[in-house]
Amino acid sequence: MDHRRGECAINASTSPPAPAPSGAPAVELRGITKRFPGVVANHDIDITVRSGTVHALVGENGAGKSTLMKILYGMQKPDEGTIAINGEQVDFHDPGDAIARGIGMVHQHFMLADNLTVLENVVLGSEKLHGIGGRARAAIREISDAYGLGVRPDALVEDLGVADRQRVEILKVLYRGARILILDEPTAVLVPQEVDALFDNLRGLKSEGLTVIFISHKLGEVLSVADEITVIRRGTTVGSADPRGTTTKQLAELMVGSELPSPETRESTVTTEPLLTVQGLRLAGTDADGIERIVLDEVGFTIHKGEVLGIAGVEGNGQAELVEAIMGMRRPDAGTVVLDGRDISRAPTRQRREDGIGYIPEDRHRHGLLLEAPLWENRILGHVTERPNSKGFLIDPGAARRDTERIVQEYDVRTPGIEVTAASLSGGNQQKLIVGREMSHLPKLLIAAHPTRGVDVGAQAQIWDQIREARREGLAVLLISADLDELIGLSDTLRVMYRGRLVADADPATITPEELGSAMTGAASGHLEHDGIEDR
Amino acid sequence: MKKFDKERALLAIAAPVLAVIGALIVTALVLLATGKEPFTAFHVMINYGDKTDSQVYILNKATTYYLAGLAVAVGFRMNLFNIGVDGQYRLAAFFAAAVGGAMSIPGIIQVPLIILTAMVVGAVWAAIAGVLKVTRGVSEVISTIMLNSIAGIVIGYFLQDGRLGVLDKNANMVSTKPIPSGSHLFNFSTGGGAVDGFIVLAVVAGVLYWFGLNRTRFGFDLRAVGRSQSAAEASGVSVKRMVITSMLISGALAGLVGMPTLLNESYDYGTDFPVGIGFTGIAVALLGRNNPVGIAVGAVLWAFLDRAANGLEFEGYDQELVGVIQGVIVLAVVIAYELVRRYGLTRQQRQVGAELAAAAAHKQEVTA
Amino acid sequence: MTATATQTPPPAAPPAAGPRRGRGKLSTPVILLIVAAAIIAVAAVRAIAGANDVTSSGQIAGALSSAVPIGLAGLAGLWSERAGVVNIGLEGMMILGTFFGAWAGWQTNPWLGVLAGVIGGALGGLVHAIVTVTFGVDQIIAGVAMNILATGVTAYLAKKLFTGAAAAAKGGTPKQSPPMSDIKKFTVPGLSHWLNTIEKHHWFLVSDLAGIVGGVVTNISALTLLAVVLFAVTFFVLWRTSFGLRLRSCGENPAAAESLGVNVYTYKYVAVIISGGLAGLGGVFLAIGTHFYLAGQTGGRGYIGLAAMIFGNWRPGGLAMGAGLFGYADSLQLRNGGPSVHALLLLLAVLLVAMAAWRFYRGARLPAVISLAFAVLLIVWYVTTDTVADEVVQATPYVATLLVMGLSAQRLRMPKADGLPYRKGQGS
Amino acid sequence: GSSSTSSSGGNKGVGMAYDVGGRGDHSFNDSAARGLDKADKEFNLKSKELTASNGETESDREQRLDSLAGAGYNPVIAVGFTYGDAVTKIAKKYPKTTFGIVDSVVQGSNVDSMTFATEQSSYLAGVAAALKTKSGKVGFIGGVHNPLIGTFQAGFDQGVKDTKPSVQVTDQYLYETDTKGFNDPTTAQGKAQGMLDQGIDVIYSAAGLSGDGSIQAVAGKSGAWAIGVDSDQYQDPALAKYKDHILTSAIKNVDVASYDLIKSVHDGTAKTGTNNYTLANGGVSLSTTGGFLGDVQSQIDAAKQKIVSGQITVKSAP
Ligand SMILES: Nc1ncnc2c1ncn2[C@@H]1O[C@H](COP(=O)(O)OP(=O)(O)OP(=O)(O)O)[C@@H](O)[C@H]1O
Ligand SMILES: Nc1ncnc2c1ncn2[C@@H]1O[C@H](COP(=O)(O)OP(=O)(O)OP(=O)(O)O)[C@@H](O)[C@H]1O
Ligand SMILES: [Mg+2]
Ligand SMILES: [Mg+2]
């Protein structure tokens, strides 16, 4: 895995373009190498982060960014290499050591205990600072006010929305008096307005002399907030970029080492034949305390053959429940679902799948795969009653194996064979297997929830192509994605979901991610006109 | 792919071998600590177990344990912990014995009828836990344990003189009316005694278990639920229905557990009917890793140890030693399997990684 | 085999629609009101049915001593599960407690026995921790294995240690240890007698209260007091100290805990070992109650303790109530509670009628009708008989467990990471 | 391979198959063992003792007897009625060996069925209880509701009624059929406590080891008496602390029976058929160790006399 540095970099300057550092750099990583079974996650990485700057780290999925940050945070030990903090060499055994050195990390996935209060989550591990009672509460209020985080210490975390959780995560770090903040993809779940608010916070921190290391796949954001950018590819630093003189396209190509694919899809294939009609869908959930809340409220839409309907929305606004209701995994309290002229409102999941619904689930580990089962059994999953997987009541392992080989070939699933367990494939390859499986049964309707989440660019392009191709042949697609570019690029029609309701619609040809984002936070509704919103 | 499979087979054997070795070491230490020399004890155990009548004894016991293991394993395969096999088989055997004693029709009809009764009773009793889990969210671990106790009390209620029980004054024993001799199951006479004919049905049950789980759609669904309930649900399996169905199957199999004893040995259900086999079944299923052949090996091993207990006692050792060995083996087995499983997974990931690296290198060469 | 299938709550839905969710916690006055109502209902039933043993001080004292081992087992489960480790091995750890407690107890004094029992149980906890935390074995399977192992080991050791010359001369047998002395018992001098006098009059409510209080102030073992203290200590430590916060965080989200510098393995180990120690204490309590170790003495109390803990929603207060309930049922069985259970049928019927009314009010017609039907059946049963069969009494604790679990299980909230094996560096 | 029981040879001595608990249980099994020890000393026998374990099956018991008989031990004595069926079967297989069975009647020309007229000793216990109660209420606790324990209840009830008709007897059983009733002192303790709370002041427990529990409960109440069973529980070291409350015990001298059988085989006149051990032949008796019966001993002796002479027939079922 020896990559010649900057082999295709447009801006392969290895020395930082910004002014010379004043005093010791906040973080110096030298020759960091980390190996996992079968992967070299980090290979001889060198990074210098100057004090009082926002330093961005970019790279493809699996490039090794998170691993590197976990090493810096003491969660993982490097196999080789050294770390220096403020000029002093350190050796971290666990996150506690890093915290003591003034390092704080906000992880890619939330690290919060749902059933504990905000206060408990914040003080955990640092109880010595202000205890776990009144003093701690006061300290939290103080920090919250100082940075305008608006955090309520006694709320239960499970009652918080994603943006609030993100703020709790940041507060956790500040509470510990961290001077060096690591933010691993903090914006992935935020809408643009929330991102702006976060960046304001970051700039405030920077002005107080704190150092921020920032990871994101959204290159526009990176360019807007970072002082310096380091690019990682396949575990090694391939170069750095000056945000002032670089475009997102250049950055992306530096990251990937090739041209960036785009989800654009303009030639319309929409027909007038409705394939899926959902009407008046209502779903009330009862939570652990027996209190009812409305999760889906009078949701209705139609998808025609050859149409991609995109649904935008902040996570947790009912998209997952909508998908589960259409799949028959949840019984709605009211409403009908008609697929290709047949009312399937009461049909079990299996029948719906047999009737031609393909499903790419949001969480492939939870809903898409049997991680401990071999690939060929995963190929059967969800289609056990269909050929070639079974004959009558019996499984046909031979045919299923052969067909798995075919999918592995056609969809470029990188694996040494079909007997390995799904768990041993990387996320992207797992996703390719799922897409291949669902497409193999020629669905009439494809429900694709975040189909390219956590998938690297190459695989992303492939999946987009597959969706487009099938659409041309009359496939109807219900697309749910947090990636607004993907959503706008692939959809023929766009709807916005907010608090269980479809509150707005938009034309993907004209809408911008910012406009969509504002509707996602409930700030706009109805038909979103491109100009109308810009004027406001 | 060939080499791959061979290594997998090696890995599969590694766990139980590791566990038995571990157990032997611990047992030897226990013996040494209590001032006894371990090798003679092991020698006694092996020697004694090797005798023909011992073999018959072991086969007969193993038949029962095997069925119990299967019953437990069905639940385990879908992450359902049916701790209640014990209550299920006792209740089933009891009512089957009562039905068998109450009539006198040709064995060819009556024997299947008795077996059917047992399976139905076992299934119904197990289904209570299934229904409670599905409709009320009660953990099957807790409910089956409670149902075990309740089963014992129900039997106690009916197994009384004048109810379904008959008192044998001389023997001080209450039991159900004996099953007429026309409805005794055949057996295989050997030099060391009679091997229960029910062993044939146990083998059939094992084959059906294997076939049902590995070759049918239903079995696939069941295993899918065991591996990931959420993924199975999304794939179209009704997990609730599957919970109840597998409890029914598990209970029906549990119903068979008492049959070798009832139809081949005691011909009635009395106060001396064996208890606790359901718990042995858990151990046997763990030893056998829920695999039909593995369970057979586990059952034979367990029966062998039971037998060896007699041998040890005859030679002046404490028969309780066997309880220690059994406990240690089970613990060692679960650890060994986990270690081997992890090792296998890491190994596989390494292979996948190597493959990917090779592919990447290849691509680079081409593009360069 | 992977983790147990547990019921995870549905994904968080937006909190906006519908009423603002309360936490469903009952305030202290409400709890007191419910308790008062329950006592009045029981007193009424007692008076109507004339089943005086329902609230007699003997029955209550029996309930208390039955409740303590169950409660301690539940407390043991609480510690372990709050740290995310399911402990089905409680039964085995209790057995170790009975054995080691009696072994040390007969040779020295019962307090050293208590210590030895706690240590014995803690050793079991240590093994469970090694197997589940270090090796990451499925926790239920490990617990089952622990129970098998504990049974085997104690049977072997009992044969070795209780049949030696000295032990045999003191009454030791292969299945039983020589007896040990009693632990100190307390009686509140004047009060106990006075209450006893009032109780004898069988006045409505007054005598009932006298019986209940009398049962609690007469002949209370120091160990029972210790158990009560342990409940309070557990609550304080787990919910009011940073140690407890860290421990609970390991049961809710170990990855988060680890990312904040909490050593998850250490806390899990500590929790499971404490759990074993508490289970061991429950075992010693049984052994001291009979004054000796007896094979099979625990009789499934570890499992019932676990059920009490689940019933108590993984909280000490609820667990204490659960243990009290099961202890009461157990005591009924011990005391030939035919007439008592018969009277309680009436109480159950009244409760069912109330529930039917509530459900009808909430618009759930079918469940209301079903509840009512059961109530009618119970009343018929009550009216047509004078007492219930012994078997019904025997089954009462188990049936009560099932009923109570069936009615409450869906409202329960287990620690989120309970039962899931955790490996260092697993958080991503 | 060969059979584990094929090594039969000449007479090796006595084969004892104990019930659960085995030698050292301070009770039933120990009593049988005393007979063996006495015979051993006298005739210098080599014997083999095996013990049942919990949760056994019929085949375990058969195998145990089979291995003893097969190894040449004679007589083979099965202690406890659970061995009934096994003795029936194995005695047929080894016609030359004499088998003994305690507490059960087994047909067979080479079987000595040793039964005990426990209703007679229980009758005397009833006499003692009736004479000693102050409250006029006495209680009986049986371990398991089976005919064997029924003989104890029947004798006790009759003894009380014949002595003092006004005395009220409460009969309770721990379990209907579950044999754990002989091994559950906690339950017995609870039952006894319940009885004491009702004012009962003499409690006779025929419940094996469970009886320890009720004796403890009785000892907690001053003025109350416990009556023991099977062996002289006053001398049981495990109960030493409570012996001041152990009025007497209805003893079943299994040692007498087992010694008789061993001696008869040794003498070449093997005892067979049903042999009932009664007050008359010393097979059962009422202990007097504590000396608490001194004031009523004469009435007890009189009752005993009447039974021995046949003047009173004690019912063996309640
Ligand atoms: N604990 C682990 N064990 C094995 N492999 C791991 C582990 N953690 C990460 N990896 C592998 O190391 C590589 C780098 O992963 P890392 O999470 O650092 O990537 P990333 O750059 O953060 O990607 P993403 O953009 O998806 O977050 C990947 O191939 C990943 O599969
Ligand atoms: N904690 C872990 N322990 C063991 N192996 C891991 C761990 N995390 C990741 N891996 C392994 O690393 C490889 C890639 O996993 P990873 O999930 O990081 O890939 P990814 O491309 O980032 O996809 P995803 O978006 O699903 O995270 C797989 O082989 C996986 O099994
Ligand atoms: Mg990843
Ligand atoms: Mg990452």
Side-chain angles (χ1 to χ4, degrees), chain C residues 44-97:
Chain C
V45 163
R46 198 261 313 154
I48 295 169
N52 290 326
D53 205 33
V54 168
T55 56
S56 74
S57 56
Q59 167 68 27
I60 300 301
L64 193 60
S65 60
S66 293
V68 169
I70 293 171
L72 285 172
L75 210 55
L78 182 77
W79 273 83
S80 153
E81 300 212 359
R82 276 288 169 188
V85 180
V86 170
N87 194 350
I88 291 276
L90 286 178
E91 181 77 9
M93 295 169 201
M94 281 184 99
I95 294 175
L96 292 174

Side-chain angles (χ1 to χ4, degrees), chain A residues 140-152:
Chain A
I140 290 172
R141 287 235 168 80
E142 198 178 304
I143 298 170
S144 172
D145 293 344
Y147 295 98
L149 295 174
V151 164
R152 289 167 295 134

Side-chain angles (χ1 to χ4, degrees), chain A residues 66 108 184-185:
Chain A
S66 298
Q108 188 168 356
D184 192 352
E185 295 197 35

